[in-house]
Amino acid sequence: MTKKRALIISFEGIEGTGKSTQCRRLIRYLKKKGLRVAIMREPGSSHMGEEIRHILLHGKGKLTPFSETMLFLAARGQLCAEKIRPNLEKKDVIILDRYIDATLAYQGYGIGVDRRLIKQLNMSAVGDLVPDVTLLLDVAPKIGLARSGRNDRFEKRTFLFFEKVRRGYLELAKAEPKRIKIIPADTTIETMQERIRGIVEQAYERGRKNR
Ligand code: TYD
């Protein structure tokens, strides 16, 4: 008999899409249904991952695109080993606030790091821990950036950068329509949440039948 494995869901999108709100609401909803849910954010969530996150977001000095990419991948490898894998059979749903696609979108499409290299590194870091569903919250940077009020290394990037990241995400979704679902984020929180719940419930049921 195959063992029960948690459904892995990742949330993606540029800043200001309302990702955190949607994550929180989905978790509350799933928990109310009696499901065991874990949430992890990237970069971070493991001890080493949080340290790496600090360097990435607030470190002094300039990181080369290569170093930046490697740090995200290092944090991801730790997250998989320390958090995702040990929870695979303990939880019903694992929610990841950003994951493999973020590096392709930000460092690949955004900065221009070789995407084949990122794909290979992603595969080495996560192995079979690929999301069952990825929810891509999509909004024009003009709207998204106006909403988000952060001030760190990543928020300081240009408007053009976020245009590239967004286009990258949309291209990834086009290449993998079964896994990556686009959720328009220029609508209400409730409408977005309804779509998200529909997609997650379908995937959960599908997963249950296949287990
Ligand atoms: P975070 O505070 O988690 O932002 P958000 O709430 O928007 O997810 O900061 C993470 C930043 O790191 C965000 O700007 C996206 C960026 N990032 C990458 O550039 N590459 C990656 O692989 C990941 C996971 C995040």
XYZ file of all heavy atoms in Angstrom, residues 15 19 42 53 57 72 76 98 102-103 106-107 150 154, ligand 1:
159
model
N 5.533 40.983 -5.672
C 5.113 41.604 -4.416
C 3.772 42.330 -4.611
O 3.466 42.813 -5.687
C 6.145 42.605 -3.861
C 7.479 42.667 -4.534
C 8.336 41.437 -4.293
O 9.010 41.361 -3.269
O 8.297 40.542 -5.190
N -0.486 37.753 -1.366
C -0.115 36.346 -1.150
C -0.278 35.931 0.317
O -0.855 34.875 0.596
C 1.340 36.197 -1.607
C 1.791 34.818 -1.875
C 3.036 34.812 -2.771
C 4.140 35.760 -2.366
N 4.781 35.450 -1.099
N 9.642 30.867 2.049
C 10.958 30.848 1.402
C 11.413 32.262 1.107
O 10.601 33.057 0.625
C 10.862 30.083 0.079
C 11.161 28.641 0.236
C 12.108 28.173 -0.863
O 12.668 28.997 -1.602
O 12.292 26.979 -0.976
N 18.149 33.819 4.850
C 17.158 34.861 4.519
C 17.653 36.239 4.961
O 17.514 37.223 4.247
C 15.835 34.548 5.227
C 14.764 35.577 4.984
C 13.515 35.284 5.796
N 12.571 36.365 5.610
C 11.683 36.401 4.620
N 11.604 35.411 3.787
N 10.885 37.424 4.480
N 18.022 39.309 2.433
C 17.144 40.487 2.479
C 17.810 41.712 3.082
O 17.512 42.827 2.689
C 15.856 40.172 3.257
C 14.924 39.122 2.656
C 13.640 39.044 3.454
C 14.593 39.415 1.203
N 19.616 31.232 -2.378
C 18.218 30.775 -2.393
C 18.143 29.250 -2.480
O 17.329 28.610 -1.816
C 17.448 31.399 -3.567
C 16.945 32.779 -3.278
C 17.430 33.880 -3.967
C 15.973 32.984 -2.308
C 16.968 35.161 -3.687
C 15.501 34.259 -2.022
C 15.998 35.346 -2.716
N 16.687 26.516 0.155
C 15.659 25.561 -0.294
C 16.048 24.125 0.061
O 15.214 23.341 0.503
C 15.461 25.721 -1.816
C 14.357 24.850 -2.382
C 13.876 25.391 -3.702
N 13.500 26.782 -3.538
C 13.809 27.755 -4.394
N 14.444 27.472 -5.512
N 13.447 29.001 -4.159
N 6.206 30.759 -1.598
C 7.295 30.792 -2.576
C 8.111 29.497 -2.538
O 8.313 28.912 -1.472
C 8.264 31.958 -2.358
C 7.637 33.312 -2.526
C 8.732 34.352 -2.603
N 8.188 35.685 -2.655
C 7.680 36.236 -3.746
N 7.662 35.549 -4.867
N 7.210 37.457 -3.725
N 9.995 30.694 -7.854
C 10.440 32.058 -7.529
C 11.860 32.293 -8.053
O 12.160 33.369 -8.581
C 10.384 32.287 -6.022
N 12.722 31.306 -7.927
C 14.102 31.503 -8.392
C 14.148 31.598 -9.913
O 14.922 32.383 -10.471
C 15.016 30.355 -7.896
O 14.626 30.015 -6.572
C 16.467 30.768 -7.910
N 12.548 35.249 -10.536
C 13.324 36.411 -10.064
C 14.766 36.383 -10.579
O 15.228 37.346 -11.192
C 13.332 36.484 -8.526
C 12.072 37.076 -7.950
C 10.905 36.320 -7.866
C 12.030 38.386 -7.503
C 9.744 36.851 -7.337
C 10.870 38.930 -6.966
C 9.735 38.155 -6.891
O 8.584 38.696 -6.373
N 15.471 35.275 -10.292
C 16.882 35.256 -10.688
C 17.023 34.893 -12.182
O 17.914 35.396 -12.856
C 17.665 34.249 -9.823
C 18.025 34.774 -8.434
C 16.834 35.051 -7.549
O 15.920 34.233 -7.450
N 16.813 36.213 -6.906
N 7.062 47.462 1.548
C 8.305 47.000 2.158
C 9.497 47.829 1.721
O 9.453 48.555 0.761
C 8.562 45.546 1.754
C 7.665 44.597 2.463
C 7.928 43.208 1.989
N 9.173 43.099 1.235
C 9.534 41.994 0.633
N 8.765 40.942 0.687
N 10.665 41.939 -0.038
N 15.045 43.570 -2.061
C 14.243 43.125 -3.192
C 13.207 44.150 -3.616
O 12.871 44.253 -4.779
C 13.606 41.771 -2.874
C 14.638 40.695 -2.885
C 15.329 40.357 -1.742
C 14.986 40.079 -4.079
C 16.323 39.398 -1.763
C 15.983 39.129 -4.118
C 16.660 38.786 -2.954
P 9.536 37.995 1.436
O 9.621 38.924 2.594
O 9.314 36.568 1.733
O 8.540 38.571 0.389
P 7.104 38.165 -0.078
O 6.197 38.434 1.078
O 6.896 39.057 -1.255
O 7.171 36.696 -0.455
O 10.877 38.217 0.616
C 11.315 37.345 -0.292
C 11.924 38.099 -1.460
O 12.844 37.226 -2.092
C 10.879 38.461 -2.499
O 11.172 39.740 -3.019
C 11.105 37.457 -3.591
C 12.552 37.110 -3.452
N 12.903 35.736 -3.892
C 13.773 35.570 -4.958
O 14.254 36.558 -5.543
N 14.123 34.307 -5.333
C 13.655 33.201 -4.704
O 13.988 32.058 -5.069
C 12.750 33.378 -3.585
C 12.211 32.202 -2.849
C 12.400 34.671 -3.227
